[in-house]
Amino acid sequence: MNPSSNPTSRTVTGLRERYGATVAGRALREEWVRFRTGRGRALAMAASVLVTVSLGLLIAGGTRSTCVTGKGEGPCPAPLVGPDGTAVRDKYYFVHQPLKGDGGITARVSDLTGQMRMPDAVPGVRNVKQGVVPWAKAGLLVRQSLKQGTPYAAVMLTGDHGVRMQDDFTHDVPGGPHNGPQWLRLTRSGDTITGYESDDGTTWSKISTVRLTGLPETAEIGLFVTSPGAQWERAMAFAQATATFDQIRLEGANGSWRHDDVGVVMESDGKTPHHPGGVVESGDKLIVTGGGDIGPATAEGGIRADLLLLGGALGLIPILVMAATFITTEHRRRPPRTSFLTEPNPQTEPNPQTEPDLPPRPGPPTRTSSPARTSTIPPSDTSSPTAISHPTRPVPPTNAGSPTSTNPSNSTDSPPGTSPAIGTSPAIRTGPAIGTGSPRDTRSSGAPDPTRALAAKGAVVGAAGFVTGLVASGVVIPAGLALLRAHQNPIQPITLGTELRMIVGYAALTALAAVLALGLAALVRRAIVAVALAVALLVVPYLLGTAGLATWLLVVTPAAGFAIMQSVPTFAHVDVDPSLLVGYYPLPPWAGLAVTCAYAALTLGAAIAAHHRKTSRRTPLS
């Protein structure tokens, strides 16, 4: 018979589910009451918020940015942003013509060379060598205007990433893996731009098609060259690229070439370009030199929002102390029988797992002249599993066939309204017989289930940690950004989604830190040891990472969860230094938080399993 079709089985299953949910809810309520009535826990939460917020606002209030321009020293300009609000870089050398209506341009990039500065071998002597950086770019470009940050589309040959098609700074589509001479083509049809590549100028392969919303009837189309700086350790040095274009053909534009060094930076005199580009015409060839980049800005995009959460690591310490002491303080104060961190003492108390509670005595015994009193069990009841003899009174043997074996001369009658004598009391509490080895369910006597109690504690401290982190990050990030803007600091733009991810993510990190500390305390049973371990696993690796040391610890320890605070976006077509000094973590935000979540879950699970094994090894009293 299928158990699922049995109404009795379904009823029992439903009752078990309802009972389990009731007991779990009761455990949560009990642990919440213990948590909120405990001394110092609210102060620990307040201290965590105070540390995180005060340090963040101190950083925001003490930050001042100034730039030197042709007009002298003053506030730095706001970061340049692209069509979608991302901070971008838009510096390149452009040889172009106006294109009215539909048309296109075809050209071959026959050579791509350049120069880059490397670390000085001799102090004070510039070390410049020939070559190009991986993301040096030379190709064809069409854009709305020469104004920086406006929409564009380009097809290009790169230094080490083959042919690519990019648009609006943040979008990148790979073409073929070519690094030698390559034919390129860019066509326009309305506001639709299509990029092509070819090895011989005859057989063409389409790379991608993009749409530039708002592209005017007359756009700018032509050749461009740019090169990001050479990436050093924690620095970016000067680099330029030079490309030779030939076999140039225009459709829809037949004017004269115009030359513009878009986005060039002037020296302090306001007149001399800093690392200018240029173009040389040689027959049907154009040799173009340029530096800079067309793409997202990373460390150059302004002050990062994640700097406001630098105090968050120290703000976790009160939460770790609160979570660890939540369990160890109870161990010191709770009576041994109700604490799941202690084992029952068989010499002083019954084992709650194996021995039932003894029934209360029904009344004071009546004095008699009989020297002995006995308690008997009728034969008809000896087979009942619920009938037990009083554990403190031996039962003498009875005569066969006699329902009782008492001496009438020794028996006494209790006065009306009083309890009968012990030897004649019929009141017996039902339950499993002592010595049968049947464990008593602690739920029936009201004693807490230790594993369920530990899980409930984890839920309570996790919720408290989440609320604490949410308040701290929800205050310091908006308030800190407002303070930075008030002091005219350039701030790297962040989207609403990024800001919410930072706020909620830090709250989740705080909750996981609390659960981790609770699990460690349940394992080691010493608050100071658990707090020290939690700080060593969470806070110390983060502090080392912010100093540029041992960043690998932010991959293999629970401190990986701090990656959720990263505010600088990452892009596949931008090379960056993966260092906290410039705002980058070794792991993506949610992947880092998942590492911390795994540590917290494994630690709490190990504590529950360890206690479960300990209680299962307890033998019943005989």
Side-chain angles (χ1 to χ4, degrees):
M1 180 177 179
N2 187 0
S4 62
S5 62
N6 187 345
T8 303
S9 176
R10 291 197 301 268
T11 302
V12 172
T13 301
L15 290 175
R16 287 176 177 173
E17 292 176 352
R18 291 173 57 189
Y19 178 76
T22 302
V23 173
R26 175 186 173 188
L28 280 174
R29 289 192 299 271
E30 290 178 351
E31 297 303 332
W32 165 242
V33 170
R34 291 191 181 102
F35 179 85
R36 66 183 178 85
T37 56
R39 294 177 296 179
R41 294 181 187 123
L43 292 177
M45 296 171 66
S48 176
V49 174
L50 180 63
V51 170
T52 303
V53 173
S54 60
L55 289 178
L57 296 182
L58 183 64
I59 292 172
T63 301
R64 298 290 190 277
S65 299
T66 58
C67 293
V68 178
T69 64
K71 299 179 181 180
E73 184 176 353
C76 294
L80 181 66
V81 296
D84 63 352
T86 302
V88 299
R89 299 184 66 196
D90 199 4
K91 182 180 183 301
Y92 56 98
Y93 199 88
F94 195 22
V95 181
H96 59 99
Q97 294 186 19
L99 172 65
K100 186 175 182 179
D102 298 341
I105 184 173
T106 301
R108 185 180 70 157
V109 182
S110 59
D111 190 30
L112 180 59
T113 61
Q115 57 180 344
M116 65 184 79
R117 183 179 179 183
M118 303 304 294
D120 296 339
V122 178
V125 179
R126 293 172 61 89
N127 181 17
V128 179
K129 74 171 189 177
Q130 299 298 311
V132 293
V133 298
W135 281 107
K137 304 169 184 178
L140 312 177
L141 173 71
V142 60
R143 68 182 307 159
Q144 189 179 94
S145 68
L146 299 184
K147 182 181 178 181
Q148 290 179 284
T150 55
Y152 76 94
V155 60
M156 66 200 72
L157 180 67
T158 64
D160 197 34
H161 294 283
V163 176
R164 321 287 290 200
M165 184 168 179
Q166 298 177 357
D167 67 283
D168 289 352
F169 303 96
T170 59
H171 305 123
D172 172 69
V173 178
H178 307 288
N179 290 319
Q182 191 69 15
W183 291 78
L184 303 173
R185 175 177 291 171
L186 199 63
T187 63
R188 173 192 179 181
S189 177
D191 58 0
T192 300
I193 310 297
T194 305
Y196 301 87
E197 62 176 328
S198 174
D199 293 329
D200 54 12
T202 303
T203 303
W204 293 89
S205 300
K206 184 174 78 170
I207 303 172
S208 181
T209 297
V210 299
R211 183 177 180 181
L212 300 182
T213 303
L215 189 65
E217 183 179 2
T218 300
E220 298 296 327
I221 193 168
L223 318 168
F224 83 100
V225 175
T226 190
S227 175
Q231 191 74 46
W232 294 358
E233 184 179 359
R234 307 176 193 171
M236 184 174 290
F238 158 78
Q240 268 188 340
T242 299
T244 301
F245 296 90
D246 58 16
Q247 306 294 328
I248 304 170
R249 297 195 303 270
L250 285 165
E251 298 179 10
N254 55 6
S256 60
W257 293 109
R258 302 176 183 177
H259 311 153
D260 284 287
D261 203 350
V262 179
V264 66
V265 178
M266 296 296 175
E267 299 283 1
S268 58
D269 60 7
K271 299 178 181 179
T272 306
H274 182 67
H275 295 311
V279 59
V280 175
E281 297 188 32
S282 176
D284 63 346
K285 298 179 180 180
L286 290 176
I287 303 173
V288 184
T289 299
D293 197 11
I294 307 179
T298 53
E300 308 90 350
I303 298 176
R304 311 188 317 265
D306 63 280
L307 294 175
L308 302 173
L309 285 175
L310 282 177
L314 299 179
L316 290 181
I317 295 179
I319 296 298
L320 300 178
V321 175
M322 175 201 71
T325 55
F326 181 42
I327 190 170
T328 55
T329 301
E330 177 185 349
H331 168 48
R332 293 194 302 268
R333 295 180 178 177
R334 245 185 181 185
R337 180 170 182 177
T338 59
S339 174
F340 63 83
L341 290 179
T342 58
E343 297 182 16
N345 187 345
Q347 297 180 356
T348 60
E349 59 175 318
N351 190 327
Q353 297 291 331
T354 58
E355 185 176 350
D357 291 334
L358 298 180
R361 295 191 177 190
T366 304
R367 292 184 177 271
T368 65
S369 61
S370 175
R373 291 186 292 272
T374 60
S375 174
T376 61
I377 302 176
S380 59
D381 293 342
T382 57
S383 61
S384 172
T386 62
I388 64 172
S389 60
H390 198 290
T392 60
R393 298 292 183 269
V395 181
T398 60
N399 295 330
S402 175
T404 59
S405 179
T406 59
N407 188 351
S409 63
N410 294 335
S411 62
T412 59
D413 295 331
S414 299
T418 63
S419 300
I422 293 178
T424 61
S425 172
I428 299 176
R429 179 171 177 167
T430 62
I434 296 178
T436 62
S438 301
R440 180 178 64 86
D441 189 353
T442 59
R443 293 171 297 186
S444 63
S445 65
D449 182 351
T451 58
R452 183 177 286 114
L454 187 54
K457 289 179 184 294
V460 169
V461 298
F466 185 87
V467 172
T468 304
L470 190 66
V471 172
S473 58
V475 171
V476 71
I477 292 179
L481 290 176
L483 192 58
L484 288 171
R485 293 188 183 98
H487 293 158
Q488 297 183 319
N489 292 296
I491 302 173
Q492 186 166 60
I494 60 172
T495 63
L496 178 61
T498 300
E499 186 172 350
L500 291 176
R501 187 251 297 161
M502 293 174 62
I503 293 174
V504 178
Y506 179 75
L509 176 63
T510 308
L512 294 173
V515 174
L516 177 67
L518 179 81
L520 290 173
L523 288 172
V524 303
R525 303 191 181 188
R526 294 291 184 273
I528 189 171
V529 176
V531 172
L533 287 174
V535 170
L537 291 172
L538 273 167
V539 180
V540 174
Y542 175 75
L543 296 179
L544 291 175
T546 56
L549 304 174
T551 55
W552 58 270
L553 289 174
L554 298 176
V555 178
V556 299
T557 67
F562 282 99
I564 200 67
M565 302 188 312
Q566 178 175 313
S567 62
V568 184
T570 56
F571 299 93
H573 57 291
V574 179
D575 287 336
V576 297
D577 178 21
S579 169
L580 262 68
L581 297 177
V582 292
Y584 287 100
Y585 289 78
L587 292 178
W590 292 110
L593 190 65
V595 173
T596 307
C597 184
Y599 269 98
L602 288 174
T603 304
L604 186 61
I608 293 175
H611 180 70
H612 181 73
R613 288 195 303 270
K614 184 178 298 184
T615 55
S616 65
R617 287 197 302 266
R618 296 175 184 171
T619 57
L621 296 178
S622 59

